[in-house]
Amino acid sequence: MAGRFLPTICSHGRRRLGLPRCVPLPRDAAGTQFFRTEENFKSCTVVRFSDERGAQLRGEVVTPLGVDQIDIIRERRRQSHELKHSRFRTRLFSSASAPLSPQPTSSVVGPAPDAAKAGHGELSENEFHRRADEALHWLHEKLDALGDEVDIEGFDSDLSQGVLTLRLGRHGIFVINKQAPNRQIWLSSPQSGPARFDWLPGHGWVYRRTGTELMSLLQEELRACLGDGVVPSLTLPPHI
């Protein structure tokens, strides 16, 4: 198939990924052209050097990609992601100036001036799990009751190990789950996409980028799918 590299098995038994890459090198003083050939395999990279007649000048150089190197690459990517997220949060909350008035029934509460402080320093791990578990269990009960009121093929609400999955048939799948390292609840919505919610005292679980409260957003999107008269109020009780 033209334009597509398929894995092959080379003569020495390695699983080749794609085709060899041949790069011409500068000519020497006598005008002889040399070439550098590089082949990528599943577990290593092999480099060979040859002249213009195809004669190999020296043995192949094999660079294996071991488990330790894979772990190093993953750790660097994780650190880069955390640094980028930290810089974004610093820029986001440094511009907050207006105080936040409690609006438990509004879908948008707006960023608070102390939003940058509300995080790991104010919400311990135990308190995070308690609040997040209570919110997810309460929401799960509401969605189970909703399933008895609607007639949607494929409707299902499931809560397992901190992950709440709501299937609405042709309307898509909502996934709400805990993220303990970040002290956040994450939402994946077929309507608004991904969002990360932090606990703000007096306001619930809030998406800091837009100021949207989690339950209000879910209520709004579920009513858009199922109708205003079907979906009940999803405002969290004061004790949760």
Side-chain angles (χ1 to χ4, degrees):
M1 185 180 300
R4 181 178 179 183
F5 291 166
L6 299 178
T8 58
I9 305 298
C10 64
S11 59
H12 42 72
R14 298 190 185 100
R15 185 177 177 83
R16 176 185 294 157
L17 302 177
L19 299 177
R21 180 186 178 191
C22 185
V23 179
L25 301 176
R27 296 178 181 270
D28 63 4
T32 304
Q33 180 72 64
F34 297 97
F35 298 89
R36 179 180 185 273
T37 303
E38 179 178 315
E39 294 181 89
N40 293 318
F41 298 92
K42 188 175 181 180
S43 60
C44 66
T45 298
V46 177
V47 178
R48 301 183 182 89
F49 295 90
S50 59
D51 59 16
E52 55 193 2
R53 294 172 300 176
Q56 187 167 324
L57 302 182
R58 56 185 177 184
E60 64 184 27
V61 179
V62 180
T63 305
L65 186 61
V67 176
D68 292 340
Q69 291 173 290
I70 295 176
D71 290 340
I72 291 174
I73 293 173
R74 288 175 176 171
E75 178 64 18
R76 288 175 178 173
R77 288 178 178 174
R78 185 188 67 80
Q79 293 177 355
S80 175
H81 173 76
E82 289 182 351
L83 179 60
K84 182 178 180 181
H85 183 65
S86 175
R87 290 175 177 174
F88 169 77
R89 292 175 63 180
T90 301
R91 294 196 304 267
L92 177 63
F93 299 113
S94 61
S95 59
S97 57
L100 179 63
S101 300
Q103 299 176 359
T105 60
S106 174
S107 62
V108 178
V109 299
D114 59 345
K117 300 178 183 178
H120 294 192
E122 293 189 6
L123 196 62
S124 66
E125 183 175 0
N126 290 336
E127 186 180 2
F128 163 76
H129 283 294
R130 180 183 66 81
R131 291 187 178 277
D133 287 338
E134 288 180 350
L136 291 178
H137 280 89
W138 178 86
L139 179 59
H140 183 225
E141 292 179 356
K142 287 285 188 178
L143 296 178
D144 271 350
L146 177 62
D148 297 333
E149 301 295 331
V150 298
D151 183 18
I152 296 181
E153 183 178 357
F155 183 98
D156 181 63
S157 175
D158 177 71
L159 177 60
S160 176
Q161 297 182 350
V163 180
L164 175 56
T165 305
L166 174 63
R167 295 176 174 85
L168 293 180
R170 62 185 179 85
H171 297 292
I173 301 175
F174 291 81
V175 179
I176 307 100
N177 64 287
K178 298 192 303 182
Q179 283 292 327
N182 301 329
R183 310 288 199 272
Q184 293 176 327
I185 292 180
W186 289 8
L187 165 69
S188 175
S189 164
Q191 294 192 21
S192 58
R196 303 178 180 186
F197 297 82
D198 296 274
W199 173 258
L200 295 184
H203 305 287
W205 296 95
V206 177
Y207 185 27
R208 294 181 174 179
R209 181 179 296 182
T210 61
T212 306
E213 196 271 328
L214 171 61
M215 298 301 172
S216 297
L217 177 62
L218 284 173
Q219 175 181 299
E220 179 181 337
E221 295 191 352
L222 291 178
R223 286 181 175 178
C225 295
L226 309 177
D228 293 343
V230 177
V231 179
S233 172
L234 296 182
T235 302
L236 279 174
H239 66 276
I240 297 181

